[in-house]
Amino acid sequence: MKPKFVLRIVFVATLITFSPARVLPQEVKAPQFELRDINGRIVRLSNYQGKVVLINFWATWCPPCRAEMPELVRLQRVHRKDGLQIIGITYPPERKSQVRGFARKLKVNYPIVLGTRELKARFSSDETLPLTVVINRDGKVSDIIGGILLREEFDEKIKPLLIKEVEGGLRSGKSNH
Amino acid sequence: MGNRITKLVVSSVLVMTLGVITAAAFTKTVTIKVDGMKCAKCSSSVSKALKATDGVQEAEVSSEKGEAVIKYDDQKVDEAKLREVINSTGFKAVAAPQQ
């Protein structure tokens, strides 16, 4: 075997071995739901087709869920124009009045619906709270983030989905404003 | 020739030993009591946030014991910062006892 050929094989093998692996969960269509939010408005997941949707399962009795909410409110405010839509779904046991009071206090700027164990189980068997399901613009689950959403995770797993559309929009001459 | 190889091996071992000792000297382990961590579903956020902190090598969080055992590099992060990270997850790191 020629040394050049061997070198080439070693080079390709090194590239394959050390290239960053991006193992994404298999993209499946997100389960659809239709529920009333705490203000009585109907929330349908299908209404947000074309947006990047974050379904945040949370509870008022879960300290990390409460701790991450101001950041979710900020993300919704900053990235709404980029097509980000957050939907909060509570995990039982919850009282509507308590959820409403909490949401009002934090000035939550996205819909919050009262959920069930079964609804959460349709998205994930992971028992962790909070739990954020990332749905891409095609309505497919692109990631499930267990625990508090870290800024690094947003930058790595969600921001690229938002940027993709902005770039696509620019290419096709669409405006985001 | 043999003498040169011996010297090389001895100096390599010395350098490696020094490296291990230095790394061990910077590694500390602390147990921090965490208040309010009764919900097993929620406690994973604490270990997640700690592990994402620069300088944290290991973090084991137990909701039963209500504590976090953290191994960290004290050149990169200190105990005060670790408590801050725990508090940012909505729980309360119990203050360290006065020495």
Side-chain angles (χ1 to χ4, degrees):
Chain A
M1 233 189 296
K2 286 179 183 174
K4 262 190 178 176
F5 181 68
V6 176
L7 270 175
R8 248 179 229 168
I9 290 175
V10 171
F11 179 70
V12 171
T14 312
L15 270 184
I16 292 167
T17 311
F18 297 103
S19 61
R22 278 193 60 84
V23 185
L24 284 174
Q26 200 181 359
E27 291 197 346
V28 289
K29 202 87 184 157
Q32 295 299 304
F33 61 82
E34 182 180 316
L35 291 161
R36 276 191 192 276
D37 74 2
I38 50 171
N39 299 314
R41 283 186 289 260
I42 288 178
V43 176
R44 283 186 202 92
L45 184 57
S46 57
N47 284 357
Y48 301 108
Q49 183 79 29
K51 289 183 182 282
V52 175
V53 180
L54 303 187
I55 298 182
N56 178 246
F57 287 96
W58 70 288
T60 56
W61 43 265
C62 157
C65 304
R66 295 196 305 262
E68 82 168 346
M69 278 180 89
E71 177 63 5
L72 294 179
V73 169
R74 189 191 72 81
L75 291 173
Q76 180 64 86
R77 190 182 63 244
V78 172
H79 294 286
R80 188 185 296 275
K81 64 178 186 321
D82 305 324
L84 179 73
Q85 181 59 57
I86 301 174
I87 302 172
I89 301 183
T90 63
Y91 190 78
E94 281 294 6
R95 280 207 319 270
K96 194 174 175 180
S97 59
Q98 198 168 348
V99 175
R100 196 184 279 165
F102 185 79
R104 201 169 289 162
K105 196 174 147 195
L106 277 185
K107 295 184 176 134
V108 174
N109 51 1
Y110 51 85
I112 288 183
V113 301
L114 295 184
T116 59
R117 282 184 176 80
E118 291 72 32
L119 180 61
K120 185 169 180 271
R122 283 173 62 197
F123 285 91
S124 171
S125 56
D126 189 343
E127 288 284 292
T128 306
L129 274 180
L131 186 101
T132 303
V133 180
V134 184
I135 301 170
N136 67 20
R137 294 184 193 269
D138 299 326
K140 289 177 180 166
V141 174
S142 72
D143 233 306
I144 294 178
I145 301 167
I148 214 159
L149 177 66
L150 302 175
R151 208 162 271 200
E152 299 89 329
E153 284 176 312
F154 181 83
D155 289 346
E156 189 197 329
K157 296 173 176 177
I158 301 163
K159 229 176 189 176
L161 301 176
L162 297 167
I163 290 166
K164 215 182 265 178
E165 176 62 17
V166 173
E167 284 173 350
L170 285 175
R171 269 198 301 273
S172 61
K174 276 188 223 163
S175 168
N176 286 300
H177 301 289
Chain B
M1 180 70 176
N3 200 15
R4 196 175 283 178
I5 290 172
T6 312
K7 271 183 188 170
L8 196 70
V9 169
V10 169
S11 52
S12 301
V13 169
L14 270 175
V15 167
M16 279 194 290
T17 312
L18 199 67
V20 170
I21 291 169
T22 312
F26 294 152
T27 300
K28 278 189 175 178
T29 302
V30 66
T31 301
I32 299 177
K33 287 277 171 200
V34 185
D35 222 17
M37 206 167 51
K38 293 180 181 89
C39 153
K41 283 187 176 76
C42 325
S43 57
S44 66
S45 288
V46 180
S47 58
K48 182 179 173 181
L50 284 168
K51 283 172 186 168
T53 306
D54 190 31
V56 171
Q57 293 160 351
E58 282 172 34
E60 228 171 89
V61 178
S62 163
S63 56
E64 290 97 42
K65 291 181 187 168
E67 65 181 30
V69 181
I70 310 146
K71 203 166 151 184
Y72 65 100
D73 180 343
D74 75 344
Q75 295 293 298
K76 290 183 179 169
V77 67
D78 59 12
E79 210 180 306
K81 174 69 185 169
L82 297 175
R83 289 174 184 280
E84 204 179 288
V85 170
I86 292 171
N87 291 340
S88 76
T89 64
F91 295 106
K92 181 98 185 76
V94 177
Q98 295 288 319
Q99 286 173 353

